[in-house]
């Protein structure tokens, strides 16, 4: 989070939602839901995956030992995927911070229809 001007409270919120996005994506592996984190939450996701040792451990513990690959998609579109993801998180028993998912209008899955972020 060092590259972003977040105070410790905002950094914790962004990282927390990044983890919840990743855990949700892992819990729904193989369902081809086209999940997406949104621009702000994606900052947390990228911060998490760049710590490769910790991310590999997360994948090992919560993704059946399979690495959750990062396959970025360059084009953004308004397809509803971010809000679908934001609503799936509490359905899985986690607390979503909807204000961090509010940029849903211009974001799409990193790689639609796959088991990657």
């Amino acid at each position: 989070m060092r590259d972003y001007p977040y105070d410790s409270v905002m950094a914790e919120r962004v990282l927390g939602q990044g983890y919840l996005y990743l855990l949700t994506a892992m819990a729904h592996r193989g369902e081809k839901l086209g999940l997406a984190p949104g621009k702000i939450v994606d900052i947390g996701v990228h911060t998490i995956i760049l710590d490769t040792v910790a991310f590999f451990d997360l994948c090992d513990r919560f993704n059946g030992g399979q690495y959750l690959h990062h396959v970025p998609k360059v084009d953004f579109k308004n397809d509803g995927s971010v809000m679908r993801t934001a609503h799936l998180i509490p359905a899985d028993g986690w607390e979503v911070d909807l204000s961090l998912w509010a940029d849903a209008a211009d974001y799409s899955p990193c790689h639609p229809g796959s088991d990657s972020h």
Side-chain angles (χ1 to χ4, degrees), residues 19 22-23 26-27 29 52-68 94:
Y19 273 109
L22 290 168
L23 291 171
M26 291 174 187
R29 181 172 40 114
T52 58
V53 173
F55 183 59
F56 187 80
D57 183 55
L58 188 75
C59 292
D60 195 41
R61 293 176 54 208
F62 296 100
N63 201 37
Q66 296 182 19
Y67 190 77
L68 182 67
W94 304 104

Side-chain angles (χ1 to χ4, degrees), residues 20 24 27-28 33 83-96:
L20 294 184
T24 300
H28 294 277
L33 299 176
M83 289 314 293
R84 280 194 310 274
T85 304
H87 289 110
L88 186 59
I89 289 171
D92 281 359
W94 304 104
E95 187 173 335
V96 70

Side-chain angles (χ1 to χ4, degrees), residues 26-87:
M26 291 174 187
H28 294 277
R29 181 172 40 114
E31 296 179 25
K32 299 186 184 222
L33 299 176
L35 303 178
K39 290 180 182 177
I40 295 172
V41 175
D42 200 41
I43 291 168
V45 171
H46 287 140
T47 300
I48 294 162
I49 67 175
L50 288 174
D51 183 350
T52 58
V53 173
F55 183 59
F56 187 80
D57 183 55
L58 188 75
C59 292
D60 195 41
R61 293 176 54 208
F62 296 100
N63 201 37
Q66 296 182 19
Y67 190 77
L68 182 67
H69 292 279
H70 181 258
V71 183
K73 181 172 174 58
V74 176
D75 297 325
F76 301 130
K77 62 185 178 192
N78 184 359
D79 65 356
S81 58
V82 175
M83 289 314 293
R84 280 194 310 274
T85 304
H87 289 110

